[in-house]
Amino acid sequence: MDRDLVVRARAGDRDAFSQLATASVGRLNAVARLIVRDEGRAEDAVQDALVDAWLDLRGLRDPDRFDAWLNRLLVHACRDVARRASRRVRLEIPLEPTHELVSPDVQHSNAISDEIERGFRRLTIEQRSVIVLVYYLDLPLTEVAAMLGVPLGTIKSRLNRSLTALRASLEADARI
């Protein structure tokens, strides 16, 4: 992140903000997909976060904290998108598996990925958010706490509860 671009964007330079958004959009999309677990909703969340960033950019006090601030906006946008989606009726249509020849190692790897995906989907948006911020973005707990505006102890307990819920979900699937 270029501090000069942030300063120029804060002053109203649309081109500077466009460069910041372009540099961040790939990472933001990846994070949002992990949190909301749906590509369309992830794109909506990223778009909402970038719009909020443009509208609120003058309120950013420290240009060096732009990435952390943008991550916080994204987490809030993911929560909002998930909340809106939960109000809609969901219809899942099971697809028939294809009978392609796949090596056993790939099948095993896919089975593990599917198992983790099912477990991750059972977590709440808050639980997924903290896991993504800590393990995917590799952010320190103190930074996650500051980003979400909660005490460090709260982040630690949320992370612990999130991992416990994920483990319980995976263990429940294993018993079936």
Side-chain angles (χ1 to χ4, degrees):
M1 185 269 319
D2 184 0
R3 186 182 206 291
D4 180 54
L5 282 176
V6 176
V7 171
R8 288 183 14 225
R10 278 178 49 196
D13 185 339
R14 291 179 185 194
D15 291 331
F17 184 77
S18 177
Q19 289 177 20
L20 289 169
T22 300
S24 302
V25 75
R27 177 182 54 81
L28 295 174
N29 272 318
V31 170
R33 277 194 311 271
L34 287 169
I35 293 173
V36 297
R37 311 310 289 172
D38 179 271
E39 193 161 335
R41 290 184 189 127
E43 289 172 359
D44 289 345
V46 169
Q47 186 175 27
D48 291 349
L50 289 172
V51 168
D52 290 345
W54 174 250
L55 295 174
D56 298 337
L57 192 56
R58 291 196 173 134
L60 175 64
R61 286 180 251 146
D62 183 2
D64 293 326
R65 304 281 303 150
F66 177 78
D67 286 335
W69 176 73
L70 191 55
N71 285 336
R72 181 174 58 244
L73 292 176
L74 179 64
V75 170
H76 289 293
C78 287
R79 254 189 230 140
D80 292 343
V81 165
R83 214 174 285 128
R84 285 192 305 259
S86 69
R87 293 183 202 138
R88 296 185 187 132
V89 175
R90 284 195 268 180
L91 173 66
E92 290 189 26
I93 301 171
L95 299 176
E96 294 296 320
T98 59
H99 297 286
E100 298 175 18
L101 294 176
V102 181
S103 72
D105 290 337
V106 172
Q107 284 180 336
H108 181 70
S109 175
N110 287 342
I112 290 172
S113 293
D114 288 344
E115 184 179 335
I116 292 171
E117 173 67 21
R118 282 191 308 274
F120 210 64
R121 282 187 184 272
R122 289 184 186 124
L123 299 177
T124 66
I125 193 81
E126 288 79 15
Q127 291 170 326
R128 286 194 302 257
S129 296
V130 74
I131 288 175
V132 168
L133 292 172
V134 172
Y135 292 109
Y136 179 77
L137 288 181
D138 200 27
L139 296 175
L141 293 176
T142 54
E143 189 170 329
V144 173
M147 181 185 305
L148 298 179
V150 297
L152 178 61
T154 302
I155 290 300
K156 289 179 180 180
S157 66
R158 282 184 188 175
L159 182 60
N160 183 38
R161 275 188 247 123
S162 300
L163 293 174
T164 300
L166 182 58
R167 276 188 213 103
S169 177
L170 294 175
E171 289 170 1
D173 278 352
R175 282 182 256 149
I176 295 176

